[in-house]
Amino acid sequence: HNSRMIEIQSQMSERAVELLNLPEDQPCFLLDVGCGSGLSGDYLSEEGHCWVGVDISTAMLDVALDREVEGDLVLGDMGEGLPFRPGTFDGCISISALQWLCNADKKTHSPPKRLYTFFSTLYSSLSRGARAVFQLYPENSEQLELITSQAMKAGFSGGMVVDYPNSTKAKKFFLCLFAGFSGTLPKVRKRIRNMKGKSAKKGKDWVLEKKERRRRQGREVRADTKYTARQRRPHF
């Protein structure tokens, strides 16, 4: 419900998809790791992509269901590996989730093993030539080294892209990984774009379009409000 947080999440999702370097005007099947309430998924849907979201929190997935997100949702701990068939996805994004694998929340948790299990199963679930982009908040350089080393051990190539590196407040870390090929890391952003006046709230037209898109897909849609019912009534 925090409009500022929603705006930030949307901006980071947009940047992550940009770094995926997907084919233009071509719908892709994407994975959102740590999908939470589906805010990143909303952006993926707006861009015309289909997606599956994975999250460890039942409460957050319940919020995503209440929001009627268009992706499919999976409850799971990414540190225990991903349950998807080889070559399922055309790409993967993750916003503010990967760093949690560096914590040992249980005595049985080994961060290096959990990271390797996650990255190795992710590598398998991606089509060859696909990318995975993780926005993360590392605590220190040692944590970054731990994450990247386990990703490379699992077969990925790539590295870190740091946007706005000279800004303490705006600096953003994106781990860009390539599955099955060695790509060139994208250029970093050095100037902060002016986002003033851009509202993160979705208007009524956006809601109507989303409902209609779900109807075309044969998916369940909540009963129309008085407003939406009035808008969808045919004019003769």
Side-chain angles (χ1 to χ4, degrees):
H1 297 292
N2 186 312
S3 60
R4 175 58 179 161
M5 293 300 295
I6 293 174
E7 180 182 350
I8 293 173
Q9 181 87 5
S10 179
Q11 291 173 17
M12 292 190 296
S13 302
E14 180 181 356
R15 177 58 168 155
V17 172
E18 178 185 346
L19 293 171
L20 282 181
N21 195 32
L22 298 169
E24 290 187 14
D25 302 321
Q26 179 179 322
C28 294
F29 190 37
L30 304 176
L31 177 64
D32 182 4
V33 176
C35 64
S37 61
L39 295 176
S40 296
D42 285 344
Y43 179 76
L44 298 179
S45 296
E46 289 172 19
E47 292 297 298
H49 303 300
C50 298
W51 58 278
V52 173
V54 177
D55 203 279
I56 196 173
S57 170
T58 304
M60 294 300 286
L61 293 179
D62 285 342
V63 174
L65 288 173
D66 289 341
R67 295 181 61 250
E68 296 185 340
V69 299
E70 296 185 17
D72 294 319
L73 304 173
V74 177
L75 176 66
D77 178 359
M78 59 181 175
E80 295 180 356
L82 300 173
F84 305 109
R85 294 179 179 179
T88 298
F89 298 103
D90 301 313
C92 168
I93 68 167
S94 178
I95 307 299
S96 309
L98 186 59
Q99 69 272 1
W100 297 110
L101 284 183
C102 296
N103 299 335
D105 297 324
K106 299 179 181 178
K107 289 183 179 180
T108 56
H109 283 181
S110 166
K113 289 183 179 179
R114 285 170 58 77
L115 282 162
Y116 177 74
T117 298
F118 167 65
F119 282 126
S120 59
T121 52
L122 174 62
Y123 187 94
S124 173
S125 70
L126 293 172
S127 60
R128 296 293 75 90
R131 297 187 181 193
V133 176
F134 301 84
Q135 184 277 324
L136 67 156
Y137 294 102
E139 290 184 358
N140 47 49
S141 58
E142 289 78 13
Q143 200 172 83
L144 279 178
E145 174 61 27
L146 172 62
I147 291 171
T148 54
S149 63
Q150 294 305 313
M152 303 307 156
K153 182 180 176 182
F156 284 105
S157 60
M160 198 68 64
V161 173
V162 183
D163 283 350
Y164 317 124
N166 299 320
S167 171
T168 303
K169 191 174 182 179
K171 182 188 293 185
K172 292 291 183 297
F173 292 84
F174 292 88
L175 177 62
C176 299
L177 301 178
F178 311 127
F181 76 109
S182 296
T184 302
L185 286 176
K187 294 182 179 180
V188 304
R189 287 179 177 174
K190 294 184 178 181
R191 293 184 179 179
I192 302 174
R193 294 184 300 172
N194 183 8
M195 300 299 292
K196 290 183 179 179
K198 184 176 180 180
S199 173
K201 295 182 179 179
K202 307 299 184 182
K204 293 176 181 177
D205 289 341
W206 181 88
V207 173
L208 290 170
E209 181 182 343
K210 181 176 179 179
K211 283 179 175 285
E212 193 59 39
R213 197 159 59 230
R214 291 177 67 88
R215 290 189 182 93
R216 290 197 299 268
Q217 294 171 347
R219 304 180 69 171
E220 184 179 349
V221 178
R222 280 184 177 176
D224 288 326
T225 64
K226 291 181 180 179
Y227 173 81
T228 55
R230 187 165 62 246
Q231 288 293 102
R232 293 185 67 249
R233 188 176 300 147
H235 300 280
F236 297 101

